[in-house]
Amino acid sequence: MDMGRPEKPVDVSGGAVAEFASRLRCLRIEAGSPTYRDMATSAMYSASVLSSAANGHRLPTLQVALAYVAACNGDREEWRRRWLEAADRAGPRMAQPRPAAARPAPHVPTSRSPEQHAPVARLIPGDPAPHRPFQLPPRPLGLVGRGAELRWLVAAPAGPIVISGPVGVGKSELALHHAHTLAPDKVDGHLYADMGPVPEGGYDVLALLAGFLTALGVPAGQLPAPEQRAGLYRSLLSQRRLLVLLENVHSERQVRPLLVDSATSTTLVVSRSSLLGLRYVHRIRLEPLPRADSLALISRGLPERARAEPTSADRLAALCGDLPLALDIATRKLLARPGISLRWAVNRLDRPEALLNWLDVGDLSMREVLNSAHLQLSDRARDLLDRLARLPHPEVRADDSTLDGVELLIDELIEGGMLRPTETLGSYRLDPLAQAFIKDREPVRDLLPYRSAPFRRTRPRLEVRHSP
């Protein structure tokens, strides 16, 4: 069919439907009368579907109407209101199914079911219904604390969000909890990818894009050229209501092609690093739990023992560095051994090897988690870490003039979850679990005191402050 030919007149007896179709035609004339074939290129609907939207026989779906409007550079919000008015006046016989209500503001969770929302326009021409992947892992149960962080996430403006923090701090649990809170509003689906560990030769983001596009309905045989995949992916996110969760991200280049500023879709990025190389993202960094929340987590798993031995519960929280992952593993081990008291356990966990052996259950291991973070450190950062670990209560200051490049090293160790700030401004202390990990490695590692380039500018001896 030649979409450039004049259209048949709209039947004026069609009431609200005919009036809506006439307005669509006027909008198209104001836009310079583009052909429906040209409009289909940007609207991602076939030319015949767009032509039918303005024939006056039946009110088009809201998604098709808004795609038509967008192709003619119209105001989508204004036309959404017009469509709702026409749907009210047309009645059920002439109108397509109407969405229950207008969508809520971005990032504000609702109690409505997915069926009550109207999905945003289909972007795969000829697809009879949008593909709706639901790839999120199960919702974590019993999240303890993090009230301030959850409130920040709910109130965050539209745009990608980076959730960062040290190993074992509960980034994934918080991200998943928030993702499931948002999920009912993201009616076009949920995408998920674990981005780590990085494969040899680098992470294949093009393969991930191909997987996501296929999940969203692009036939495998019709995937665009590799250099065009990110553009189509961003188009999908900008016009659909999608949730994307990317876990264990190691570097900016892994996710940069996957980020889009969308008012309808949300991308959550979980990383140990703050990924400061990314622009136009919102960031929140998690710290270890306050001691009260750590004790609440222990009490949830071991209510009777925590109530009977509060001092030992507090000591267990300290040994675990107030890290949710370590606390979760420890309470699981104790729950499986009801005859062990908290006092007996903590008295035997003061040795680094014993502590790390205890914090190991199934495929969860604090030793492996810490080792993965340690492997990502530079040689100079590892050298400083080894020297700090030999001291009982070590601190390092950001203004220490005896350390060459100390601020960069401190930043690297903080990002790696190995250092924590103390109560003194500019002073940092070795994380307790990191210290246990380094001490546990000493029998099998090279103990040469200066195996990498010396830190001293003038003197070869490294001075590290002791906490009182």
Side-chain angles (χ1 to χ4, degrees):
M1 179 173 59
D2 182 1
M3 295 300 171
R5 293 186 302 176
E7 297 176 282
K8 294 181 180 180
V10 174
D11 184 356
V12 294
S13 65
V17 173
E19 181 182 342
F20 187 82
S22 297
R23 287 186 171 186
L24 283 178
R25 291 189 179 188
C26 289
L27 177 66
R28 179 171 167 243
I29 292 172
E30 292 171 1
S33 298
T35 67
Y36 284 117
R37 200 178 306 278
D38 290 338
M39 291 169 61
T41 303
S42 60
M44 296 298 178
Y45 280 94
S46 67
S48 60
V49 169
L50 296 174
S51 174
S52 298
N55 64 17
H57 297 159
R58 190 175 183 86
L59 189 67
T61 64
L62 177 59
Q63 295 78 37
V64 170
L66 293 182
Y68 188 112
V69 168
C72 296
N73 298 316
D75 186 327
R76 288 168 56 89
E77 180 59 25
E78 177 185 348
W79 279 90
R80 186 188 66 82
R81 291 194 297 268
R82 289 181 178 178
W83 185 93
L84 292 173
E85 292 172 1
D88 281 336
R89 293 168 53 199
R93 185 180 66 84
M94 293 295 291
Q96 297 285 353
R98 173 181 173 170
R103 68 174 179 85
H107 299 286
V108 179
T110 71
S111 60
R112 293 177 289 177
S113 66
E115 290 77 10
Q116 291 175 290
H117 290 274
V120 181
R122 294 189 295 272
L123 297 184
I124 312 303
D127 190 17
H131 288 63
R132 298 191 181 102
F134 296 95
Q135 299 179 353
L136 283 182
R139 177 195 291 269
L141 300 177
L143 181 70
V144 173
R146 303 302 188 197
E149 292 87 346
L150 286 170
R151 288 191 293 273
W152 185 93
L153 287 168
V154 169
I161 296 174
V162 175
I163 301 174
S164 64
V167 294
V169 80
K171 302 180 293 296
S172 294
E173 187 175 34
L174 179 71
L176 262 178
H177 182 93
H178 183 58
H180 279 278
T181 300
L182 296 179
D185 185 45
K186 304 305 180 182
V187 296
D188 289 312
H190 321 133
L191 298 170
Y192 172 84
D194 187 336
M195 309 289 283
V198 180
E200 187 176 352
Y203 197 90
D204 190 352
V205 70
L206 292 177
L208 179 61
L209 277 168
F212 278 176
L213 291 173
T214 302
L216 293 172
V218 181
Q222 297 181 25
L223 286 171
E227 65 273 12
Q228 297 175 347
R229 291 175 188 174
L232 177 56
Y233 174 78
R234 292 189 182 113
S235 298
L236 289 165
L237 261 67
S238 67
Q239 296 191 36
R240 289 187 182 182
R241 302 180 69 82
L242 289 161
L243 174 68
V244 184
L245 175 56
L246 306 172
E247 279 201 86
N248 293 317
V249 174
H250 290 267
S251 68
E252 291 86 348
R253 66 183 180 86
Q254 283 185 293
V255 293
R256 189 172 281 116
L258 303 171
L259 301 183
V260 56
D261 185 9
S262 170
T264 58
S265 296
T266 300
T267 300
L268 302 176
V269 177
V270 180
S271 175
R272 294 172 189 171
S273 167
S274 298
L275 302 177
L276 295 178
L278 296 178
R279 303 176 68 186
Y280 314 121
V281 300
H282 310 291
R283 292 182 174 82
I284 181 170
R285 184 166 180 84
L286 302 190
E287 300 297 338
L289 291 172
R291 182 57 52 83
D293 288 341
S294 296
L295 294 175
L297 197 157
I298 296 172
S299 296
R300 186 190 66 186
L302 308 165
E304 295 180 358
R305 279 178 274 188
R307 186 166 51 250
E309 303 174 89
T311 302
S312 296
D314 186 85
R315 178 62 182 151
L316 179 62
L319 286 170
C320 292
D322 295 297
L323 292 174
L325 177 60
L327 290 165
D328 180 52
I329 294 173
T331 53
R332 287 197 214 186
K333 294 285 287 285
L334 287 165
L335 189 61
R337 303 175 70 177
I340 295 180
S341 69
L342 285 178
R343 181 180 296 108
W344 185 93
V346 299
N347 285 342
R348 283 155 180 78
L349 297 181
D350 273 335
R351 292 182 298 107
E353 182 180 2
L355 177 61
L356 292 173
N357 285 343
W358 182 265
L359 298 178
D360 188 314
V361 58
D363 60 351
L364 295 177
S365 168
M366 280 305 302
R367 179 184 277 108
E368 291 302 318
V369 170
L370 289 164
N371 185 57
S372 68
H374 187 262
L375 289 174
Q376 295 179 43
L377 298 175
S378 67
D379 287 343
R380 300 185 73 242
R382 292 184 200 179
D383 193 45
L384 176 57
L385 190 64
D386 290 346
R387 301 181 193 193
L388 286 169
R390 298 171 194 167
L391 303 173
H393 302 288
E395 290 183 15
V396 60
R397 293 189 56 85
D399 60 358
D400 191 339
S401 60
T402 66
L403 293 175
D404 188 16
V406 63
E407 290 188 4
L408 293 177
L409 292 172
I410 287 174
D411 287 344
E412 183 179 353
L413 291 173
I414 290 175
E415 289 275 274
M418 302 295 175
L419 287 183
R420 298 186 187 181
T422 68
E423 297 78 8
T424 304
L425 184 65
S427 180
Y428 301 88
R429 180 180 292 120
L430 193 62
D431 177 89
L433 279 176
Q435 185 170 16
F437 171 75
I438 297 300
K439 285 185 174 181
D440 186 45
R441 292 178 66 251
E442 285 188 355
V444 295
R445 68 177 171 85
D446 182 4
L447 287 176
L448 290 176
Y450 303 109
R451 55 186 172 84
S452 61
F455 288 95
R456 287 277 189 174
R457 288 195 180 96
T458 55
R459 293 173 292 173
R461 184 167 169 269
L462 171 67
E463 293 183 0
V464 182
R465 297 175 182 269
H466 295 256
S467 297

